[in-house]
Each structure stands twice: as C-alpha cells, then as structure tokens.
Amino acid sequence: MGNKVKLAVNGGIGFGAKLNLKQLMTISKHMDMEGEIELTTFQQLYIEIQEDKKDEVIKEFESVGLKCYPVGDYVKSLRTCNFCKGEEREGMPVAKELNRRIAGKPVPFTLKVAYTGCPIGCGESMLSDIGVMKYKDHYNLYVGGKAKGRDAEVGTLLRENLTPEELYDTVEKVIATYTENGKKREPFYKFLKRLGKEHLLS
Ligand code: SF4
C-alpha cells in the first residue's frame, strides 16, 4: 500500500450542500471497507486517497461534478447559505466566481470564508475569518469572525456596498496581505488583531 493523501471534496456551490448518487458512488469506489469519510463543519468531506493516484482520482471526481480542494493551510472553499430565495437574487454566480478565485490558495493558517445571500436568515458570514453578505444589489464584507471558543466573536464590517468586481478585488487583497504578513500558523483573527483592520487594505 502506498502513501495516502487527504482530499477535501464537495458538490460545488449550489442550492444547499448536496451530493447525488453518482457522486457518492464515485467517492466510494476509491475507499476500502475500513475507510471513513469525515464530514467537516465547512461543507467539505475529507477522504483519503492513494497519493500516487491523486491526479487521476481528482479528474474522475471532477467528471461527475465534484469539486476537490487541498486540506491544510489553504483558503477553504466558500461556505454558502442555501440560496433559498433564488440563484440570481442571492448572487450565486458571484459566490461561484469568488470561490474560483480564492479557494485552495496557500495561506499561513486555514482560512474560512463564508457567503450569505441576504441579511435576514443566515449569519455564518459574521462568524468566519472573511464573510460576505449580499445586501440588496451590493455586497458587504466582514472580517475577523471567530466561531470557536469562549472568546468567540462576530466579525466587523470592513467594506460595504461593493460591486462584484470590487468584492473580488478587496477579498483578494485581504488574502494577499495575510499571506505576505501573517506568521506561519498564525490564525487570521490573531493576525488581524496584531495588524489592525485599518492596515488590511493599505
Ligand atoms: S442567507 Fe438568506 S437567501 Fe441565503 S439561505 Fe439564508 S435566508 Fe436564504
């Protein structure tokens, strides 16, 4: 048996966090009877696959619509709301594009980014390192949320009323600042406290 490597997998951004039977069967083909799938809180499944087959497994997964991401100190795939009020109204294409631009980028410590399509129902974006909330036709950007521990905190507003292009640029800039200035294994919320929110985009 060769080395195993962990892979994060999900069905991509859509209504809810769903997988179909074909996708489940394709995943199970690459597991042995003792194998386990880890269900994370971040809409990703972790599975272990043979390292020497990684590229072909990813290709096969992608052929049935699965999305694959690295596990570790990378930007995670966007955790999204369920888009209960509709794809366009809640900005699903913007969430997809943002995910395409940032997910899987190496960072000092695992970075969680969340997206919610309206300001009423879901609040995950307030509790993530970076959170996007669609408000009417624009996007508000929050930073520094922390969902874990006794010192859990909601994020604070960094920018509001952004267009999609402004949103992509701003998020990419925040991530670049963290990548360039964060210490190895320094969580984003600690980095933000050390740096000061006002320096994130300067
Ligand atoms: S954020 Fe709004 S649109 Fe998205 S699932 Fe929650 S209530 Fe529905």
Short mmCIF file of all heavy atoms in Angstrom, two decimals, residues 46-96:
data_model
loop_
_atom_site.label_atom_id
_atom_site.label_comp_id
_atom_site.label_asym_id
_atom_site.label_seq_id
_atom_site.Cartn_x
_atom_site.Cartn_y
_atom_site.Cartn_z
N TYR A 46 -13.84 15.08 3.92
CA TYR A 46 -12.43 14.70 3.81
C TYR A 46 -12.36 13.22 3.51
O TYR A 46 -12.97 12.40 4.22
CB TYR A 46 -11.69 14.95 5.12
CG TYR A 46 -11.37 16.40 5.41
CD1 TYR A 46 -10.82 16.77 6.64
CD2 TYR A 46 -11.59 17.40 4.48
CE1 TYR A 46 -10.50 18.09 6.92
CE2 TYR A 46 -11.27 18.72 4.76
CZ TYR A 46 -10.74 19.06 5.99
OH TYR A 46 -10.43 20.37 6.26
N ILE A 47 -11.64 12.87 2.47
CA ILE A 47 -11.40 11.44 2.22
C ILE A 47 -9.91 11.23 1.98
O ILE A 47 -9.20 12.15 1.58
CB ILE A 47 -12.22 10.89 1.04
CG1 ILE A 47 -11.81 11.57 -0.27
CG2 ILE A 47 -13.70 11.06 1.23
CD1 ILE A 47 -12.26 10.78 -1.46
N GLU A 48 -9.47 10.02 2.24
CA GLU A 48 -8.06 9.70 1.98
C GLU A 48 -7.96 8.87 0.72
O GLU A 48 -8.70 7.89 0.55
CB GLU A 48 -7.48 8.94 3.16
CG GLU A 48 -7.25 9.84 4.35
CD GLU A 48 -6.35 9.21 5.39
OE1 GLU A 48 -6.44 7.97 5.56
OE2 GLU A 48 -5.58 9.94 6.03
N ILE A 49 -7.07 9.27 -0.16
CA ILE A 49 -6.89 8.51 -1.40
C ILE A 49 -5.41 8.17 -1.57
O ILE A 49 -4.55 8.75 -0.90
CB ILE A 49 -7.38 9.32 -2.64
CG1 ILE A 49 -6.66 10.68 -2.69
CG2 ILE A 49 -8.88 9.51 -2.63
CD1 ILE A 49 -6.85 11.42 -3.99
N GLN A 50 -5.13 7.26 -2.48
CA GLN A 50 -3.74 6.90 -2.75
C GLN A 50 -3.02 8.09 -3.36
O GLN A 50 -3.49 8.66 -4.35
CB GLN A 50 -3.70 5.75 -3.77
CG GLN A 50 -4.22 4.43 -3.25
CD GLN A 50 -3.35 3.87 -2.15
OE1 GLN A 50 -3.84 3.51 -1.10
NE2 GLN A 50 -2.04 3.83 -2.37
N GLU A 51 -1.89 8.44 -2.78
CA GLU A 51 -1.16 9.62 -3.25
C GLU A 51 -0.74 9.50 -4.72
O GLU A 51 -0.86 10.45 -5.49
CB GLU A 51 0.07 9.85 -2.38
CG GLU A 51 0.69 11.21 -2.61
CD GLU A 51 1.78 11.55 -1.61
OE1 GLU A 51 2.37 10.62 -1.02
OE2 GLU A 51 2.03 12.75 -1.44
N ASP A 52 -0.31 8.31 -5.11
CA ASP A 52 0.18 8.16 -6.49
C ASP A 52 -0.95 8.18 -7.52
O ASP A 52 -0.70 8.26 -8.72
CB ASP A 52 1.04 6.89 -6.64
CG ASP A 52 0.30 5.64 -6.20
OD1 ASP A 52 -0.83 5.77 -5.69
OD2 ASP A 52 0.84 4.54 -6.36
N LYS A 53 -2.21 8.12 -7.04
CA LYS A 53 -3.34 8.18 -7.97
C LYS A 53 -4.08 9.51 -7.88
O LYS A 53 -5.17 9.67 -8.47
CB LYS A 53 -4.32 7.05 -7.68
CG LYS A 53 -3.78 5.68 -8.02
CD LYS A 53 -4.90 4.68 -8.01
CE LYS A 53 -4.37 3.31 -8.41
NZ LYS A 53 -5.10 2.23 -7.81
N LYS A 54 -3.52 10.44 -7.12
CA LYS A 54 -4.24 11.69 -6.82
C LYS A 54 -4.77 12.38 -8.08
O LYS A 54 -5.97 12.72 -8.14
CB LYS A 54 -3.30 12.62 -6.06
CG LYS A 54 -3.97 13.85 -5.51
CD LYS A 54 -2.99 14.66 -4.70
CE LYS A 54 -3.46 16.09 -4.65
NZ LYS A 54 -2.42 17.02 -4.30
N ASP A 55 -3.92 12.58 -9.07
CA ASP A 55 -4.35 13.32 -10.25
C ASP A 55 -5.49 12.64 -11.00
O ASP A 55 -6.47 13.28 -11.40
CB ASP A 55 -3.16 13.54 -11.21
CG ASP A 55 -2.16 14.50 -10.61
OD1 ASP A 55 -2.52 15.17 -9.62
OD2 ASP A 55 -1.02 14.56 -11.11
N GLU A 56 -5.40 11.34 -11.15
CA GLU A 56 -6.48 10.65 -11.89
C GLU A 56 -7.77 10.59 -11.07
O GLU A 56 -8.87 10.67 -11.63
CB GLU A 56 -6.04 9.26 -12.37
CG GLU A 56 -5.68 8.27 -11.31
CD GLU A 56 -5.16 6.96 -11.91
OE1 GLU A 56 -3.94 6.87 -12.11
OE2 GLU A 56 -5.99 6.06 -12.12
N VAL A 57 -7.64 10.47 -9.73
CA VAL A 57 -8.85 10.47 -8.89
C VAL A 57 -9.54 11.83 -8.98
O VAL A 57 -10.76 11.91 -9.16
CB VAL A 57 -8.52 10.12 -7.42
CG1 VAL A 57 -9.73 10.32 -6.53
CG2 VAL A 57 -8.01 8.70 -7.30
N ILE A 58 -8.76 12.90 -8.91
CA ILE A 58 -9.35 14.24 -9.00
C ILE A 58 -10.07 14.41 -10.34
O ILE A 58 -11.20 14.91 -10.40
CB ILE A 58 -8.27 15.33 -8.80
CG1 ILE A 58 -7.84 15.37 -7.33
CG2 ILE A 58 -8.78 16.71 -9.22
CD1 ILE A 58 -6.72 16.34 -7.00
N LYS A 59 -9.45 13.94 -11.40
CA LYS A 59 -10.06 14.03 -12.73
C LYS A 59 -11.39 13.28 -12.76
O LYS A 59 -12.40 13.77 -13.28
CB LYS A 59 -9.12 13.41 -13.75
CG LYS A 59 -8.76 14.34 -14.85
CD LYS A 59 -7.96 13.64 -15.89
CE LYS A 59 -7.03 14.62 -16.58
NZ LYS A 59 -6.01 13.99 -17.33
N GLU A 60 -11.39 12.09 -12.19
CA GLU A 60 -12.62 11.28 -12.16
C GLU A 60 -13.70 11.97 -11.31
O GLU A 60 -14.87 12.03 -11.71
CB GLU A 60 -12.30 9.89 -11.61
CG GLU A 60 -13.43 8.90 -11.82
CD GLU A 60 -13.13 7.54 -11.25
OE1 GLU A 60 -11.95 7.25 -10.95
OE2 GLU A 60 -14.10 6.77 -11.09
N PHE A 61 -13.30 12.50 -10.16
CA PHE A 61 -14.27 13.21 -9.31
C PHE A 61 -14.86 14.40 -10.07
O PHE A 61 -16.06 14.64 -10.05
CB PHE A 61 -13.59 13.70 -8.03
CG PHE A 61 -13.37 12.63 -6.98
CD1 PHE A 61 -13.73 11.31 -7.23
CD2 PHE A 61 -12.80 12.93 -5.76
CE1 PHE A 61 -13.54 10.32 -6.28
CE2 PHE A 61 -12.61 11.96 -4.80
CZ PHE A 61 -12.97 10.65 -5.05
N GLU A 62 -13.99 15.15 -10.72
CA GLU A 62 -14.47 16.34 -11.43
C GLU A 62 -15.40 15.98 -12.59
O GLU A 62 -16.30 16.74 -12.92
CB GLU A 62 -13.27 17.17 -11.90
CG GLU A 62 -12.60 17.88 -10.73
CD GLU A 62 -11.34 18.65 -11.07
OE1 GLU A 62 -10.80 18.46 -12.19
OE2 GLU A 62 -10.88 19.43 -10.22
N SER A 63 -15.20 14.81 -13.16
CA SER A 63 -16.05 14.40 -14.28
C SER A 63 -17.50 14.14 -13.84
O SER A 63 -18.40 14.14 -14.67
CB SER A 63 -15.48 13.16 -14.97
OG SER A 63 -15.71 12.02 -14.17
N VAL A 64 -17.71 13.92 -12.54
CA VAL A 64 -19.10 13.77 -12.06
C VAL A 64 -19.55 15.01 -11.29
O VAL A 64 -20.53 14.97 -10.54
CB VAL A 64 -19.28 12.48 -11.21
CG1 VAL A 64 -19.11 11.25 -12.07
CG2 VAL A 64 -18.35 12.45 -10.01
N GLY A 65 -18.82 16.10 -11.46
CA GLY A 65 -19.27 17.38 -10.87
C GLY A 65 -18.79 17.63 -9.46
O GLY A 65 -19.22 18.61 -8.83
N LEU A 66 -17.90 16.79 -8.95
CA LEU A 66 -17.36 17.07 -7.61
C LEU A 66 -16.26 18.12 -7.72
O LEU A 66 -15.59 18.21 -8.75
CB LEU A 66 -16.77 15.79 -7.00
CG LEU A 66 -17.78 14.71 -6.61
CD1 LEU A 66 -17.06 13.39 -6.36
CD2 LEU A 66 -18.56 15.14 -5.37
N LYS A 67 -16.11 18.90 -6.67
CA LYS A 67 -15.01 19.86 -6.61
C LYS A 67 -14.00 19.37 -5.58
O LYS A 67 -14.40 18.87 -4.51
CB LYS A 67 -15.52 21.25 -6.17
CG LYS A 67 -16.60 21.79 -7.06
CD LYS A 67 -16.03 22.34 -8.35
CE LYS A 67 -17.14 22.85 -9.25
NZ LYS A 67 -16.79 22.94 -10.63
N CYS A 68 -12.73 19.49 -5.89
CA CYS A 68 -11.69 18.99 -5.00
C CYS A 68 -10.79 20.13 -4.55
O CYS A 68 -10.41 20.97 -5.36
CB CYS A 68 -10.84 17.94 -5.72
SG CYS A 68 -11.83 16.58 -6.37
N TYR A 69 -10.44 20.10 -3.28
CA TYR A 69 -9.61 21.15 -2.71
C TYR A 69 -8.54 20.54 -1.82
O TYR A 69 -8.74 19.45 -1.27
CB TYR A 69 -10.46 22.11 -1.86
CG TYR A 69 -11.60 22.75 -2.62
CD1 TYR A 69 -12.88 22.22 -2.56
CD2 TYR A 69 -11.39 23.89 -3.39
CE1 TYR A 69 -13.93 22.79 -3.26
CE2 TYR A 69 -12.44 24.48 -4.09
CZ TYR A 69 -13.70 23.93 -4.02
OH TYR A 69 -14.73 24.51 -4.71
N PRO A 70 -7.42 21.26 -1.64
CA PRO A 70 -6.39 20.73 -0.73
C PRO A 70 -6.82 20.87 0.74
O PRO A 70 -7.66 21.72 1.06
CB PRO A 70 -5.18 21.61 -1.03
CG PRO A 70 -5.73 22.87 -1.60
CD PRO A 70 -7.03 22.52 -2.28
N VAL A 71 -6.23 20.05 1.60
CA VAL A 71 -6.52 20.12 3.04
C VAL A 71 -5.29 20.68 3.74
O VAL A 71 -4.17 20.29 3.44
CB VAL A 71 -6.82 18.70 3.59
CG1 VAL A 71 -6.98 18.73 5.11
CG2 VAL A 71 -8.08 18.15 2.94
N GLY A 72 -5.50 21.60 4.67
CA GLY A 72 -4.37 22.18 5.41
C GLY A 72 -4.43 23.69 5.39
O GLY A 72 -5.51 24.27 5.46
N ASP A 73 -3.27 24.31 5.29
CA ASP A 73 -3.20 25.76 5.38
C ASP A 73 -3.50 26.41 4.02
O ASP A 73 -2.60 26.93 3.34
CB ASP A 73 -1.83 26.19 5.91
CG ASP A 73 -1.62 25.71 7.34
OD1 ASP A 73 -2.63 25.54 8.06
OD2 ASP A 73 -0.48 25.50 7.74
N TYR A 74 -4.75 26.38 3.67
CA TYR A 74 -5.23 26.93 2.39
C TYR A 74 -6.53 27.68 2.65
O TYR A 74 -7.18 27.46 3.68
CB TYR A 74 -5.51 25.81 1.39
CG TYR A 74 -4.30 24.98 1.06
CD1 TYR A 74 -4.07 23.80 1.75
CD2 TYR A 74 -3.39 25.39 0.09
CE1 TYR A 74 -2.94 23.03 1.48
CE2 TYR A 74 -2.27 24.63 -0.19
CZ TYR A 74 -2.06 23.45 0.50
OH TYR A 74 -0.94 22.71 0.23
N VAL A 75 -6.92 28.52 1.69
CA VAL A 75 -8.25 29.12 1.76
C VAL A 75 -9.25 28.01 1.47
O VAL A 75 -9.14 27.30 0.45
CB VAL A 75 -8.41 30.24 0.72
CG1 VAL A 75 -9.80 30.86 0.82
CG2 VAL A 75 -7.33 31.31 0.89
N LYS A 76 -10.20 27.83 2.37
CA LYS A 76 -11.21 26.77 2.16
C LYS A 76 -12.22 27.21 1.09
O LYS A 76 -12.37 28.40 0.83
CB LYS A 76 -11.95 26.48 3.47
CG LYS A 76 -11.08 25.80 4.48
CD LYS A 76 -11.93 25.17 5.53
CE LYS A 76 -11.52 23.80 5.96
NZ LYS A 76 -11.04 22.86 5.04
N SER A 77 -12.91 26.23 0.56
CA SER A 77 -13.98 26.59 -0.38
C SER A 77 -15.05 27.36 0.39
O SER A 77 -15.24 27.17 1.60
CB SER A 77 -14.57 25.33 -1.02
OG SER A 77 -14.94 24.39 -0.05
N LEU A 78 -15.71 28.25 -0.33
CA LEU A 78 -16.70 29.12 0.31
C LEU A 78 -17.82 28.32 0.96
O LEU A 78 -18.42 27.47 0.32
CB LEU A 78 -17.32 29.96 -0.81
CG LEU A 78 -17.45 31.45 -0.61
CD1 LEU A 78 -16.08 32.06 -0.47
CD2 LEU A 78 -18.17 32.06 -1.82
N ARG A 79 -18.07 28.62 2.22
CA ARG A 79 -19.26 28.04 2.84
C ARG A 79 -20.42 28.98 2.51
O ARG A 79 -20.34 30.18 2.76
CB ARG A 79 -19.07 27.94 4.36
CG ARG A 79 -20.34 27.45 5.01
CD ARG A 79 -20.16 27.14 6.45
NE ARG A 79 -21.45 26.80 7.00
CZ ARG A 79 -21.63 26.09 8.08
NH1 ARG A 79 -20.60 25.64 8.75
NH2 ARG A 79 -22.84 25.82 8.52
N THR A 80 -21.46 28.43 1.95
CA THR A 80 -22.55 29.31 1.50
C THR A 80 -23.87 28.98 2.19
O THR A 80 -24.05 27.90 2.75
CB THR A 80 -22.78 29.17 -0.03
OG1 THR A 80 -23.23 27.84 -0.29
CG2 THR A 80 -21.53 29.47 -0.81
N CYS A 81 -24.79 29.92 2.09
CA CYS A 81 -26.15 29.67 2.54
C CYS A 81 -26.84 28.78 1.50
O CYS A 81 -26.22 28.38 0.52
CB CYS A 81 -26.89 30.99 2.71
SG CYS A 81 -27.31 31.81 1.16
N ASN A 82 -28.08 28.50 1.70
CA ASN A 82 -28.77 27.57 0.78
C ASN A 82 -29.45 28.28 -0.40
O ASN A 82 -30.19 27.66 -1.15
CB ASN A 82 -29.83 26.77 1.55
CG ASN A 82 -29.17 25.74 2.43
OD1 ASN A 82 -28.00 25.41 2.25
ND2 ASN A 82 -29.92 25.22 3.40
N PHE A 83 -29.24 29.56 -0.53
CA PHE A 83 -29.83 30.34 -1.63
C PHE A 83 -31.35 30.11 -1.73
O PHE A 83 -31.89 29.85 -2.80
CB PHE A 83 -29.15 29.99 -2.96
CG PHE A 83 -27.68 30.29 -2.97
CD1 PHE A 83 -26.74 29.30 -2.76
CD2 PHE A 83 -27.23 31.59 -3.16
CE1 PHE A 83 -25.37 29.59 -2.74
CE2 PHE A 83 -25.86 31.89 -3.14
CZ PHE A 83 -24.93 30.88 -2.94
N CYS A 84 -32.00 30.23 -0.57
CA CYS A 84 -33.42 29.86 -0.52
C CYS A 84 -34.31 30.82 -1.30
O CYS A 84 -35.42 30.51 -1.65
CB CYS A 84 -33.89 29.75 0.93
SG CYS A 84 -34.00 31.33 1.77
N LYS A 85 -33.79 32.02 -1.59
CA LYS A 85 -34.65 32.98 -2.30
C LYS A 85 -34.34 33.03 -3.79
O LYS A 85 -34.81 33.90 -4.50
CB LYS A 85 -34.50 34.35 -1.67
CG LYS A 85 -34.98 34.37 -0.23
CD LYS A 85 -35.15 35.78 0.26
CE LYS A 85 -35.77 35.79 1.64
NZ LYS A 85 -34.78 35.75 2.71
N GLY A 86 -33.49 32.12 -4.25
CA GLY A 86 -33.24 32.06 -5.69
C GLY A 86 -31.81 32.42 -6.05
O GLY A 86 -31.19 33.26 -5.41
N GLU A 87 -31.34 31.78 -7.12
CA GLU A 87 -29.94 31.88 -7.54
C GLU A 87 -29.50 33.31 -7.83
O GLU A 87 -28.52 33.81 -7.29
CB GLU A 87 -29.76 31.00 -8.78
CG GLU A 87 -28.41 31.11 -9.40
CD GLU A 87 -28.17 30.08 -10.48
OE1 GLU A 87 -28.98 29.14 -10.62
OE2 GLU A 87 -27.17 30.22 -11.19
N GLU A 88 -30.27 34.00 -8.72
CA GLU A 88 -29.86 35.34 -9.12
C GLU A 88 -30.02 36.33 -7.99
O GLU A 88 -29.14 37.13 -7.71
CB GLU A 88 -30.66 35.80 -10.36
CG GLU A 88 -30.23 35.15 -11.65
CD GLU A 88 -28.74 35.37 -11.99
OE1 GLU A 88 -28.23 36.47 -11.72
OE2 GLU A 88 -28.11 34.44 -12.52
N ARG A 89 -31.17 36.23 -7.32
CA ARG A 89 -31.47 37.21 -6.29
C ARG A 89 -30.43 37.15 -5.16
O ARG A 89 -30.10 38.15 -4.55
CB ARG A 89 -32.87 36.94 -5.75
CG ARG A 89 -33.40 38.09 -4.95
CD ARG A 89 -34.88 37.96 -4.64
NE ARG A 89 -35.15 38.58 -3.37
CZ ARG A 89 -36.21 38.36 -2.64
NH1 ARG A 89 -37.13 37.51 -3.07
NH2 ARG A 89 -36.38 38.97 -1.51
N GLU A 90 -29.93 35.98 -4.91
CA GLU A 90 -28.99 35.83 -3.79
C GLU A 90 -27.54 35.80 -4.25
O GLU A 90 -26.64 35.55 -3.47
CB GLU A 90 -29.34 34.57 -2.98
CG GLU A 90 -30.77 34.53 -2.48
CD GLU A 90 -31.22 35.83 -1.80
OE1 GLU A 90 -30.37 36.56 -1.28
OE2 GLU A 90 -32.43 36.10 -1.83
N GLY A 91 -27.31 36.00 -5.54
CA GLY A 91 -25.93 36.19 -6.01
C GLY A 91 -25.09 34.93 -6.12
O GLY A 91 -23.88 34.98 -5.91
N MET A 92 -25.70 33.80 -6.47
CA MET A 92 -24.92 32.57 -6.57
C MET A 92 -23.75 32.68 -7.57
O MET A 92 -22.65 32.19 -7.29
CB MET A 92 -25.82 31.38 -6.94
CG MET A 92 -25.15 30.05 -6.64
SD MET A 92 -25.98 28.64 -7.39
CE MET A 92 -27.52 28.57 -6.54
N PRO A 93 -23.95 33.33 -8.74
CA PRO A 93 -22.80 33.44 -9.66
C PRO A 93 -21.62 34.19 -9.04
O PRO A 93 -20.47 33.87 -9.32
CB PRO A 93 -23.38 34.22 -10.85
CG PRO A 93 -24.85 34.01 -10.79
CD PRO A 93 -25.17 33.91 -9.33
N VAL A 94 -21.91 35.17 -8.21
CA VAL A 94 -20.83 35.92 -7.55
C VAL A 94 -20.11 35.02 -6.54
O VAL A 94 -18.88 35.01 -6.45
CB VAL A 94 -21.40 37.20 -6.87
CG1 VAL A 94 -20.35 37.89 -6.01
CG2 VAL A 94 -21.91 38.15 -7.95
N ALA A 95 -20.88 34.24 -5.81
CA ALA A 95 -20.27 33.30 -4.85
C ALA A 95 -19.37 32.30 -5.59
O ALA A 95 -18.26 31.99 -5.14
CB ALA A 95 -21.36 32.56 -4.07
N LYS A 96 -19.84 31.82 -6.74
CA LYS A 96 -19.05 30.86 -7.52
C LYS A 96 -17.75 31.49 -8.01
O LYS A 96 -16.69 30.88 -7.96
CB LYS A 96 -19.86 30.35 -8.73
CG LYS A 96 -20.90 29.33 -8.34
CD LYS A 96 -21.63 28.84 -9.57
CE LYS A 96 -22.61 27.74 -9.21
NZ LYS A 96 -23.55 27.43 -10.25
#
